[in-house]
Amino acid sequence: MTTKIAFIGFGGVGQSLAEILLERKEHLEEMYGLESSVVAVSDMMKGSIYNPEGLDTNELLKCVRESGSVETYPDSPHILKGLTSIETIQQSNADVIVEVTYTDVHTGEPAITHCKTAFENKKSVVTTNKGPVALAYQELSLLAEKHGVFFGYEGTVMSGTPALRMPELTLAGNQITEIKGILNGTTNYILTEMEKGQSYEAALLKAQELGYAEADPTSDVEGYDARYKAAILSSCIMGAPIAHTDVECEGISSITGEMVQQALKEGEKWRLLARIREENGEMKASVKPERIKDHDPLAGVSGATNAIVYECDLAGPIMLTGAGAGLKETGYSLLIDLIYYQKQKKLAKI
Ligand SMILES: NC(=O)C1=CN([C@@H]2O[C@H](COP(=O)(O)OP(=O)(O)OC[C@H]3O[C@@H](n4cnc5c(N)ncnc54)[C@H](OP(=O)(O)O)[C@@H]3O)[C@@H](O)[C@H]2O)C=CC1
Ligand SMILES: N[C@@H](CC=O)C(=O)O
């Protein structure tokens, strides 16, 4: 049965998933039985469109890229334009809501409300928005369970690199005692560009152009994005919810070009490191720039690549490295969730 999809937010990541679904259509149907149809898009500035019978994704992407609005899509008897995000979630016939609005690093809204509304209307959610998972994971996963729907959020930590499913599935049975890593692509890109002599400002601009940075890049450079990711890892992987405000947080805005060059001369590199560990029965987490030795595996992680180390009591330390940001990579993280949604549907769990 065709999975009907509604996009709430249609920026870089949303458009990238739409493109992947188009390009891989046959492969997804043959390999995973994932037949999908985009029925709606609702975006703050790019407008809103709904056709219960499905939209032509090629045409949709053409409209948004050429005119900046999905509402230039040709009219037809079934098409409805102008629904708000909440109306789209409540009134459309979508099975899955792809929540890809901006991450608000203080309140998690409006994404938390989008997810709740979807679950209460028996719709599944896949999202790369860190707000709902960092701030309301317990409540939202219980709500999804209560309504028998799926909640996928793989891309909220390290985009398309399976930083959440790998420990949950492949490292199952271990007790994970500590997690540390580089969890923000933008700041790692800036620091490594500064190592090559580039200025902080020029590197940040490039990270924005490449689609790595948050809508407001303060979230990246002040560490708030990585702080959300630390909170997500603590509740989803360590099983210990921690308030994001309890994560010690310092960004990279005070790191100067001179500091970066001085560290290099002394055989060290600056990296923005997140650490989550249990101390005296209490979960502690921090995000801060640290100077690490050149031979530390984390020092070799450059550009928008991220890395994470899980300290496992049985398997020992396991390090995973891969993209931490990027439109295609993050679009792909949503595809992983859609494939898992499809698997659950097949098992009649949802
Ligand atoms: N880019 C990346 O590498 C990664 C991004 N993420 C997360 O994925 C999400 C999407 O990222 P990305 O596509 O890069 O961001 P963009 O800023 O490109 O896209 C977000 C879109 O959401 C729209 N939007 C904002 N608020 C609302 C609302 N209330 N209702 C409907 N639409 C809204 C924006 O509208 P408009 O601009 O038209 O006003 C924009 O088009 C973010 O939460 C981000 O943190 C996660 C991992 C990696
Ligand atoms: N802005 C974020 C995007 C992914 O979460 C980053 O740079 O890591």
Side-chain angles (χ1 to χ4, degrees):
M1 218 170 62
T2 303
T3 296
K4 295 187 273 312
I5 292 173
F7 283 91
I8 304 301
F10 203 49
V13 172
Q15 291 176 40
S16 168
L17 173 66
E19 219 162 54
I20 295 172
L21 291 174
L22 254 185
E23 286 166 3
R24 302 272 159 114
K25 191 173 170 29
E26 280 82 33
H27 175 74
L28 294 172
E29 288 178 12
E30 277 164 28
M31 283 292 288
Y32 308 104
L34 178 63
E35 245 176 75
S36 65
S37 164
V38 176
V39 293
V41 170
S42 182
D43 185 283
M44 189 119 90
M45 302 297 282
K46 299 176 188 79
S48 163
I49 185 156
Y50 170 47
N51 183 349
E53 307 208 323
L55 295 158
D56 175 343
T57 313
N58 251 323
E59 186 63 34
L60 194 62
L61 287 167
K62 192 166 152 260
C63 290
V64 77
R65 285 169 185 172
E66 284 178 2
S67 70
S69 170
V70 294
E71 296 193 10
T72 53
Y73 189 95
D75 284 316
S76 78
H78 297 290
I79 284 186
L80 191 58
K81 292 179 180 172
L83 291 181
T84 64
S85 53
I86 294 293
E87 286 166 345
T88 301
I89 297 168
Q90 289 172 332
Q91 295 171 25
S92 76
N93 63 351
D95 306 299
V96 180
I97 302 300
V98 179
E99 213 295 347
V100 274
T101 65
Y102 79 103
T103 293
D104 180 295
V105 288
H106 302 293
T107 66
E109 291 291 5
I112 295 178
T113 303
H114 289 158
C115 294
K116 279 188 193 162
T117 309
F119 297 148
E120 283 158 358
N121 284 272
K122 294 206 175 300
K123 291 176 163 75
S124 295
V125 172
V126 299
T127 188
T128 55
N129 194 317
K130 288 143 271 189
V133 194
L135 265 57
Y137 171 69
Q138 256 72 23
E139 186 190 355
L140 291 175
S141 44
L142 281 174
L143 200 60
E145 202 181 319
K146 177 176 160 199
H147 291 281
V149 291
F150 179 81
F151 185 29
Y153 44 83
E154 179 62 67
T156 58
V157 180
M158 284 174 68
S159 72
T161 309
L164 296 176
R165 267 204 189 85
M166 190 191 82
E168 195 188 325
L169 300 180
T170 319
L171 300 179
N174 283 289
Q175 204 174 330
I176 298 177
T177 53
E178 181 178 357
I179 298 178
K180 70 171 178 185
I182 299 169
L183 302 181
N184 181 271
T186 302
T187 46
N188 207 56
Y189 179 83
I190 295 173
L191 290 172
T192 52
E193 285 300 295
M194 286 167 79
E195 283 162 8
K196 295 181 209 158
Q198 188 69 265
S199 73
Y200 173 93
E201 291 77 15
L204 172 57
L205 201 65
K206 189 79 188 155
Q208 288 178 288
E209 281 167 17
L210 291 167
Y212 303 151
E214 294 302 303
D216 175 1
T218 314
S219 304
D220 296 293
V221 297
E222 296 305 341
Y224 307 144
D225 174 78
R227 176 169 76 168
Y228 259 8
K229 289 165 179 168
I232 293 171
L233 287 161
S234 186
S235 58
C236 300
I237 304 304
M238 311 280 269
I242 183 168
H244 70 293
T245 42
D246 287 341
V247 178
E248 192 191 326
C249 180
E250 187 190 331
I252 64 155
S253 58
S254 59
I255 308 289
T256 62
E258 291 71 40
M259 288 162 77
V260 169
Q261 296 306 323
Q262 187 60 35
L264 282 181
K265 274 189 215 146
E266 292 167 16
E268 294 189 350
K269 285 180 176 164
W270 281 99
R271 290 290 178 264
L272 184 67
L273 293 189
R275 295 177 186 274
I276 305 116
R277 69 214 163 273
E278 204 189 292
E279 271 177 30
N280 308 320
E282 205 189 330
M283 205 52 75
K284 295 272 182 207
S286 63
V287 170
K288 55 182 182 205
E290 293 184 32
R291 265 176 69 152
I292 52 177
K293 297 277 178 218
D294 217 7
H295 56 72
D296 186 314
L298 291 176
V301 177
S302 61
T305 304
N306 283 182
I308 190 163
V309 181
Y310 306 91
E311 288 293 341
C312 303
D313 64 340
L314 299 175
I318 304 271
M319 178 161 154
L320 174 70
T321 179
L327 301 183
K328 188 189 254 180
E329 296 84 346
T330 314
Y332 165 66
S333 74
L334 293 161
L335 176 65
I336 315 177
D337 284 335
L338 284 174
I339 290 171
Y340 270 87
Y341 161 84
Q342 181 63 29
K343 284 189 174 172
Q344 299 257 312
K345 204 163 87 171
K346 211 167 154 190
L347 294 171
K349 286 201 177 158
I350 50 175

